[in-house]
Amino acid sequence: MGRRTVTATRRRVVQGLGALATLPRAVRAAPLTTDVVVAGAGLAGLNAALILEEQGYKVTVLEAGPGPGGRVQTRDIGGRLQELGASDIGTGYGRVLDQIQRRGLETVPWNIRVRPFTYHVNGRLVAGKDWAGSQANRLEGDERALLPAMLEMHYLGRNPLKEPDDWLQPEFRSLDIPADDWFGAQGASTEARRLIGASFQLSESRGTSALSVLRDGAILKASGANWQGKPPPMQQVEGGNQRLPQAMAAALKTPLRTGTAVQGVRAAGTGIDVASSDGQTYRARRVILAVPLTALRRIRFEPALPSDQARAFREMGYSRTSKFYLRATQPFWETDGLDASLWTDTELERIFALEGADGSVTNLLVWLNRTAPPFDRLTGADARAYVLKRLAELRPATAGKVEVIAEHSWLTTAGIEGCLARYGPGQVTAFADVLPRPHGAVHFAGEHTRRVDVGMEAAMASGERAALEVIAAG
Ligand SMILES: Cc1cc2nc3c(=O)[nH]c(=O)nc-3n(C[C@H](O)[C@H](O)[C@H](O)COP(=O)(O)OP(=O)(O)OC[C@H]3O[C@@H](n4cnc5c(N)ncnc54)[C@H](O)[C@@H]3O)c2cc1C
């Protein structure tokens, strides 16, 4: 074998666990030893690491990206701090609020106000006040009086789940059916079901389990949300939510290793060898993988995962919303005399007109269904041009009066590749208990393993659970 071939072979094998098996002992870097390796410096991984450090464990946190935060990222867009991912901190977020306080940060009331909506439904542009009598309104009976944005809430008022953990109880497993079927069983008309599908953040009411939708309804209700009226007050971290994971990472005793992706975990004696993209092997007693399922799919396990767990990691879906940030160069809503925000039954879904403290519209935020053709094939300048063209078709007054100033797609964000894990019909039954189950000395955390919380709080709770598993294992 020639020298170049040997080098190429070596380069290939150091990509994963092959390195551990194939390379002669002399050329392997000595393993770095630690008590626990945590993969992923999102809120789940960071919370697990801080709890374990407090209990005296030596913890090494490996993060594939350039910094901590994962799906909590703040950017200055158009002179205003915007959250690319998690924005709202609920009143029931005990763990998040505790960490904010412990890291010396402050919360401020949710500072974004959304202007009222105009509707674009069934090809017509309709003012909210004209909806009930509009030709665009193909709803039936009492539904006709409900704005499209309220339909989902209206039917979720019949949620049979009362407690946040009801979704895990065997007696509710019969609700592990397409969400669309459940809304139909509540008497929602065909048109109401179509509009709920469009108002569903996920745009996939057939591909989503009703049980997981009802779970979120029960959790939000327990946190004080009132489906028919005002949502509970929301907060943000002063200076942007991203300051929280940054402060948590700064509090780690062993500095966070960024740009270091875990590629493989292999049981070795009483511990685990972790292969990472920096070519280094870490030897630990326990490992916590706090990375999204999209990233877990690329990690090699020795011994292999049990088939039900491998299937769960492989088959769970993710929601795929993209965000575009627009600036109104002229107040187009004064041209057509309609409310500034726009709710549509098209792939452009929602355009939120965001109000600054002085009451003026500072930005427009488009939530767009990334899976809808032709947008699924467009990137960069083509995608931006498409958004503006499509918006002008839906609402002619915007033509020449808005520009795209930023965009963010979680689907194309390396290491994450989706918004939120989504249970399909039947998958709560098949996967809910399997996702968080430890595999030997490897533990799992992250929002996809959530139980009775949502969002950032769920990520923190999952990290806490995994840390407690490690502590209990001794
Ligand atoms: C658009 C959007 C809006 C949201 N809005 C809200 C909201 O308003 N309120 C709320 O509470 N929640 C909200 N959420 C949810 C919240 O952001 C998440 O639940 C939470 O941040 C997830 O944390 P996590 O630690 O589980 O995962 P992540 O934050 O995704 O962290 C995982 C980390 O693992 C890293 N990683 C990946 N692969 C590897 C590897 N092989 N090795 C090492 N590291 C790796 C990733 O780079 C990432 O940093 C929102 C999410 C999105 C996307």
Side-chain angles (χ1 to χ4, degrees):
M1 200 189 272
R3 202 190 136 114
R4 285 185 57 186
T5 323
V6 171
T7 314
T9 308
R10 248 176 220 167
R11 208 177 291 131
R12 268 201 308 278
V13 293
V14 293
Q15 299 297 317
L17 276 174
L20 301 175
T22 324
L23 289 182
R25 188 168 294 277
V27 301
R28 284 186 225 157
L32 292 179
T33 56
T34 186
D35 291 333
V36 182
V37 165
V38 174
L43 291 178
L46 290 169
N47 197 33
L50 288 171
I51 291 170
L52 288 168
E53 281 193 343
E54 269 181 21
Q55 297 302 313
Y57 288 76
K58 180 162 191 260
V59 185
T60 304
V61 185
L62 308 179
E63 163 56 47
R71 277 166 276 181
V72 182
Q73 301 288 339
T74 313
R75 297 285 182 278
D76 184 336
I77 297 176
R80 177 186 186 111
L81 287 183
Q82 302 267 5
E83 300 297 343
L84 300 184
S87 53
D88 316 345
I89 297 171
T91 44
Y93 282 21
R95 296 172 185 85
V96 173
L97 292 169
D98 176 57
Q99 273 300 329
I100 288 171
Q101 198 186 27
R102 290 221 254 164
R103 304 298 148 215
L105 302 171
E106 303 278 346
T107 57
V108 289
W110 201 46
N111 64 358
I112 293 177
R113 281 195 40 197
V114 178
R115 286 269 182 102
F117 284 99
T118 296
Y119 289 82
H120 192 286
V121 175
N122 287 317
R124 289 170 191 268
L125 197 58
V126 187
K129 66 178 172 46
D130 299 333
W131 169 251
S134 156
Q135 286 187 345
N137 185 342
R138 297 182 190 162
L139 295 167
E140 294 171 16
D142 295 347
E143 287 171 349
R144 290 186 59 79
L146 297 171
L147 288 166
M150 294 306 295
L151 288 164
E152 182 185 344
M153 302 283 193
H154 171 74
Y155 285 107
L156 281 178
R158 303 176 191 179
N159 189 350
L161 273 52
K162 301 293 173 235
E163 301 298 329
D165 66 349
D166 277 351
W167 70 288
L168 295 164
Q169 308 309 321
E171 68 256 40
F172 291 111
R173 290 281 151 96
S174 59
L175 298 171
D176 197 9
I177 56 172
D180 187 53
D181 290 355
W182 184 82
F183 286 111
Q186 305 316 304
S189 66
T190 306
E191 177 68 350
R193 288 158 70 174
R194 189 184 73 80
L195 293 176
I196 289 171
S199 72
F200 232 52
Q201 253 195 33
L202 321 170
S203 302
E204 292 179 26
S205 57
R206 283 222 66 77
T208 303
S209 166
L211 196 45
S212 68
V213 177
L214 299 169
R215 163 199 65 183
D216 291 345
I219 293 172
L220 285 176
K221 204 163 190 178
S223 75
N226 171 2
W227 282 118
Q228 308 304 335
K230 249 176 67 173
M234 295 290 178
Q235 306 170 69
Q236 286 181 307
V237 176
E238 190 173 27
N241 288 342
Q242 181 181 283
R243 293 183 69 206
L244 176 60
Q246 284 172 342
M248 289 170 76
L252 290 170
K253 290 186 182 131
T254 303
L256 172 67
R257 289 184 176 232
T258 55
T260 310
V262 166
Q263 296 180 324
V265 287
R266 186 177 75 172
T270 56
I272 298 279
D273 279 351
V274 178
S276 68
S277 60
D278 59 2
Q280 182 66 57
T281 302
Y282 298 82
R283 183 157 292 167
R285 279 158 49 203
R286 300 258 149 195
V287 174
I288 296 177
L289 298 180
V291 304
L293 292 166
T294 45
L296 272 179
R297 284 168 199 155
R298 297 206 188 90
I299 295 178
R300 292 168 34 173
F301 291 84
E302 285 185 27
L305 291 164
S307 59
D308 59 349
Q309 203 163 27
R311 193 177 143 228
F313 290 180
R314 201 173 52 239
E315 293 184 6
M316 282 276 289
Y318 273 78
S319 53
R320 295 174 165 196
T321 301
S322 284
K323 289 179 172 185
F324 280 74
Y325 298 85
L326 276 51
R327 189 197 333 259
T329 51
Q330 291 175 53
F332 59 83
W333 51 93
E334 288 176 9
T335 306
D336 62 14
L338 295 168
D339 285 323
S341 298
L342 187 62
W343 189 106
T344 86
D345 62 355
T346 73
E347 74 282 13
L348 246 50
E349 295 199 355
R350 309 288 159 272
I351 293 99
F352 302 99
L354 308 177
E355 244 182 40
D358 63 358
S360 66
V361 173
T362 55
N363 269 318
L364 302 173
L365 173 61
V366 182
W367 281 72
L368 181 142
N369 180 3
R370 183 98 216 171
T371 51
F375 191 75
D376 53 346
R377 286 179 278 110
L378 301 176
T379 55
D382 290 345
R384 288 173 174 226
Y386 178 79
V387 168
L388 292 182
K389 176 176 153 287
R390 197 69 183 105
L391 183 56
E393 284 168 11
L394 300 175
R395 189 158 180 181
T398 63
K401 298 194 181 96
V402 289
E403 60 188 15
V404 180
I405 51 175
E407 64 192 83
H408 188 78
S409 161
W410 287 103
L411 183 66
T412 56
T413 301
I416 297 183
E417 296 170 51
C419 265
L420 298 168
R422 172 171 54 79
Y423 283 102
Q427 291 188 336
V428 174
T429 310
F431 302 154
D433 293 335
V434 166
L435 288 169
R437 192 177 67 204
H439 176 53
V442 181
H443 303 259
F444 299 98
E447 64 87 21
H448 55 277
T449 65
R450 70 198 184 91
R451 313 306 270 177
V452 297
D453 301 285
V454 289
M456 291 183 269
E457 182 66 9
M460 298 278 277
S462 75
E464 181 181 294
R465 175 200 32 82
L468 293 176
E469 286 169 7
V470 168
I471 293 166

